[in-house]
């Protein structure tokens, strides 16, 4: 398959044509443009190497995320950034190319923090290997992490090595009735006080906190903080991660605001909060969107449309300074001199 | 494609130095002593002197120096505290050394958001001293009291990496002066997003070859409710290694777990005057968390060490005892240097898949056994990363050659086991060949990036990415 793709890329480069790298399409809604002949990553699929004792898994790009998660769960391990699928056939390649992480992100790290190495076919058709499969590697530029969130603009990510973590021994979710300001304060303080927290969400007047780790640690945290137990916690967090919760279903135009974790809530817009306060989902119409973006920049971050509105990418692109835009263009050209792949992603990327 | 660099003419150098003297007065220094001090790190002292050392105080001053150098095609080398190990600071083509030590202000501490912004010259110990009252700390601790700018530029790590990660996981954003003298910011206060490519990750670890890091936004952590340090000794090195592997596989969230072999332990006992320890393979451990969490971790670890014939634990719970213990660990490099009077030493930096760790250490030891040299091993073994410190007589050309050959061979063994030649020290000038061996054609893309972002190749030329 790799040979075939290399030929396809070389041919497209020679003819000045474009290629559209695509997996299952589960995250296409995040991607601005897709032109040219399809290059379906699902043709290159399978787990290349997985010895749980190594705490490393090496996977081909077209492998279903579900398949990888199943193999890891069977061995008592996980991808610790809890990646959302946003669709049944979500692939590993798409997960890395979009760089989207789930609820555990604020506590365990993002996709890029677990990428140990990656192989990529660049726009000249060369198949290259960056990083490796060891926990630490500082040999040369950190290109494998540059690929995370690059939306296919630098090349076809063909294979990725991830660091695996053991599944927690114990897990418990507690629910606390509180307003958003109290919830933001609690999320930040409890985490700073070293509670074994792995997810926080505030929605509809309730704060959901997931504690996980060794049983005694989880038990002592639960006793200390109180709250109500959440019975179907696995399903609840899965639904939240996949954005099947009613909050998402009901939102007409949903914006994603990334900000410092203690930023105050905007009272006049329906909001859900996660990642200890650092990620806000805000329902805003066109009239409110400008205000939201202004508030986000005051809170040291960005807001952009996630679903249902105008392109997320146009607004965020304006936030890049001229020298940064130049650097982006130079990087793009370094990998893809003939512009075979999708254009530069200038949208806010959920890393 | 290859990179090139020609040493600038003496006239060009003289003109540039004159211009810098005019702008910076006595902050532009040309004395031999100062230039010599800025020509090397803590590794091999094969000095290559810069033509001038400048001590800027602002981002704008740095930008002005870089602009001048870019116009004159003169190399620019950033200097933090001079503790790098792979010849990163050697001025291969002369040029301007920018010493960032006067940029040592902590610009913001956002205690509630668990982050801070510092200038590049702030050292890790200075940061921790200044934020102590907030109940927060910054965990990354390479042995030396390095500057945070240097630690960012070399993607440093330390004894806490298993739990807290390395520099790359703890940097939210940067201010960088680009090779054409512009000031850019990457990342934002918001730790979870940025527009476009993740440029922060590109600059972190670029060893001063893509730009000069002048400010860093860092994550901070709450000082845990309980910190407990413990030492356990073993008769066999392989047993100590297996303890670490087992602990990692069980996911015990060790804050620190460090291995010292019997020679290193002997050196540390002598150098740091540690009492009550034998010169045996040893694990230094530290546990962070709530009382309950720490107690649980210790119980788990005790059952693992017992399975592998470990000694009883010696605990260091009092801050001063812990400080002494970790000071001894951080001084391991100096302990090794002084182990044989008159000798010098340098350290390898292999990192391998953890199941190969015991094999790789054994193979490395076998490599040294072929020579007449002494070596000692210390490692952040929880990551699969270990250092073989090779001691040799610097006046004996044969010994030095043996040491260099053995080090190159040890890097090759690690690469052959699916590992890397460098887990944390970086490439500098000493590992350029190993990088090629490890990354093959991918080095061409790195070179293309270097060429694109620094077309005149003025930023620390000849380091990190092989020129051809």
């Amino acid at each position: 398959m790799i040979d075939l793709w290399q030929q396809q890329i070389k041919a497209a480069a020679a003819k000045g044509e474009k290629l559209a790298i695509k997996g299952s399409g589960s995250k296409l809604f995040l991607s601005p443009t897709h032109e040219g002949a399809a290059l379906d990553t699902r043709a290159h699929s399978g787990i290349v190497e997985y010895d749980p004792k190594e705490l490393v898994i090496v996977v081909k790009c077209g492998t279903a995320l579900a398949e990888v998660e199943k193999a890891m769960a069977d061995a008592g391990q996980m991808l610790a950034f809890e990646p959302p699928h946003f669709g049944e056939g979500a692939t590993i390649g798409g997960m890395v190319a979009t760089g989207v992480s789930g609820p555990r992100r604020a506590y365990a790290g993002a996709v890029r923090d677990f990428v140990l190495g990656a192989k990529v076919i660049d726009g000249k058709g060369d198949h290259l290997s960056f990083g490796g499969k060891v926990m630490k590697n500082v040999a040369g530029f950190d290109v494998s992490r540059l690929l995370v969130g690059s939306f296919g603009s630098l090349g076809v990510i063909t294979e990725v090595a991830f660091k695996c973590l053991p599944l927690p021994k114990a897990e418990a979710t507690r629910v606390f009735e509180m307003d958003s300001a109290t919830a933001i304060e609690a999320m930040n303080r409890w985490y700073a006080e070293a509670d074994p927290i792995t997810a926080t969400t505030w929605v509809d007047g309730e704060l959901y906190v997931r504690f996980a780790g060794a049983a005694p640690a989880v038990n002592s945290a639960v006793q200390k903080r109180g709250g109500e137990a959440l019975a179907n916690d696995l399903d609840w967090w899965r639904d939240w991660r996949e954005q099947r919760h009613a909050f998402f279903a009901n939102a007409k135009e949903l914006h994603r605001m990334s900000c410092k974790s203690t930023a105050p809530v905007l009272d006049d817009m329906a909001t859900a909060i996660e990642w200890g306060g650092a990620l806000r989902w805000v329902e805003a119409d066109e009239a409110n969107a400008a205000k939201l973006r202004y508030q986000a920049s005051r809170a040291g971050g960005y807001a952009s449309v996630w679903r249902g509105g105008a392109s997320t990418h146009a607004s965020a692109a304006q936030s890049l300074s001229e020298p940064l835009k130049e650097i982006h263009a130079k990087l793009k050209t370094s990998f893809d001199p003939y512009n075979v792949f999708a254009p530069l992603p200038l949208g806010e990327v959920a890393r | 494609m290859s990179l090139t660099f020609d040493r600038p003419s003496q006239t060009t150098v003289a003109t540039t130095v004159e211009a810098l003297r005019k702008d910076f007065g006595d902050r532009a220094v040309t004395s031999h002593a100062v230039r010599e001090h800025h020509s090397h790190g803590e590794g091999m002292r094969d000095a290559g002197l810069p033509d001038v050392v400048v001590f800027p105080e602002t981002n704008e001053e740095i930008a002005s120096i870089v602009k001048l150098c870019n116009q004159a095609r003169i190399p620019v080398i950033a200097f933090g505290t001079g503790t790098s190990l792979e010849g990163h600071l050697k001025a291969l083509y002369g040029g301007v050394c920018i010493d960032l030590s006067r940029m040592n202000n902590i610009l913001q501490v956002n205690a509630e958001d668990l982050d801070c912004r510092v200038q590049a010259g702030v050292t890790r110990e200075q940061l921790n001293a200044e934020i102590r009252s907030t109940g927060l700390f910054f965990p990354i601790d390479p042995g030396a009291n390095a500057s945070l700018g240097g630690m960012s530029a070399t993607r440093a790590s330390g004894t806490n990496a298993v739990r807290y990660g390395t520099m790359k996981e703890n940097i939210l954003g940067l201010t960088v002066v680009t090779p054409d003298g512009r000031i850019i910011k990457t990342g934002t206060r918001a730790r979870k997003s940025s527009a476009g490519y993740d440029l922060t990750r590109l600059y972190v670890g670029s060893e001063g070859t893509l730009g000069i890091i002048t400010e860093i936004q860092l994550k901070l952590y709450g000082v845990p409710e309980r910190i407990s340090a413990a030492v356990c000794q073993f008769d066999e090195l392989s047993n100590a290694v297996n303890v670490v592997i087992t602990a990692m596989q069980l996911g015990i969230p060790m804050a620190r777990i460090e291995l010292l072999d019997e020679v290193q332990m002997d050196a540390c006992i002598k150098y740091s005057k540690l009492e009550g320890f034998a010169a045996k393979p040893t694990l230094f451990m530290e546990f962070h968390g709530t009382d309950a969490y720490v107690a649980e971790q210790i119980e788990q670890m005790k059952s693992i060490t017992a399975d592998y014939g470990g000694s009883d634990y010696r605990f260091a719970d009092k801050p001063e005892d812990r400080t002494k213990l970790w000071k001894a660990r951080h001084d391991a490099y100096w302990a090794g240097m002084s182990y044989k009077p008159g000798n010098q030493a340098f350290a390898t930096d292999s990192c391998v898949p953890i199941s190969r760790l015991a094999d790789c250490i054994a193979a490395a030891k076998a490599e040294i056994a072929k020579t007449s040299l002494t070596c000692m091993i210390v490692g952040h073994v929880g990551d699969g990363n270990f250092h073989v410190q090779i001691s040799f007589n610097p006046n004996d050309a044969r010994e030095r050659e043996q040491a260099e050959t053995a080090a190159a061979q040890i890097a090759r063994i690690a690469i052959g086991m699916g590992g890397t030649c460098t887990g944390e020290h970086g490439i500098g000038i000493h590992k350029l060949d190993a990088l090629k061996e490890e990354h093959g054609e991918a080095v061409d893309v790195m070179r293309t990036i270097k060429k694109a972002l620094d077309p005149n190749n003025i930023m620390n030329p000849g380091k990190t990415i092989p020129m051809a």
Side-chain angles (χ1 to χ4, degrees), chain A residues 72 78-83 104-105 108-109 114 163-165:
Chain A
M72 293 177 75
M78 62 176 176
L79 291 171
F81 45 92
E82 212 176 347
R104 201 182 291 265
R105 158 71 180 92
F114 290 86
K163 177 178 174 179
C164 314
L165 286 186

Side-chain angles (χ1 to χ4, degrees), chain B residues 110-131:
Chain B
N110 309 297
E112 290 177 336
D113 295 308
L114 301 176
D115 68 35
C116 68
R117 191 168 191 88
V118 301
Q119 288 186 310
V122 173
T123 68
R124 64 175 183 86
E125 287 179 8
Q126 180 197 346
L127 174 62
N128 276 321
E130 292 194 28
I131 63 175

Side-chain angles (χ1 to χ4, degrees), chain B residues 32-33 76 119 129 148 160-161 198 208 218-219 237 261 275 283 285 298 327 396 404 419 446 464:
Chain B
H32 186 273
V76 180
Q119 288 186 310
L148 292 158
N160 281 305
D198 194 352
L218 290 167
K219 282 191 210 173
L237 187 69
D261 79 345
E275 282 167 20
L283 289 178
M285 298 174 277
I298 291 173
K327 177 96 169 65
D396 182 335
E404 282 176 356
M446 295 184 194
T464 315

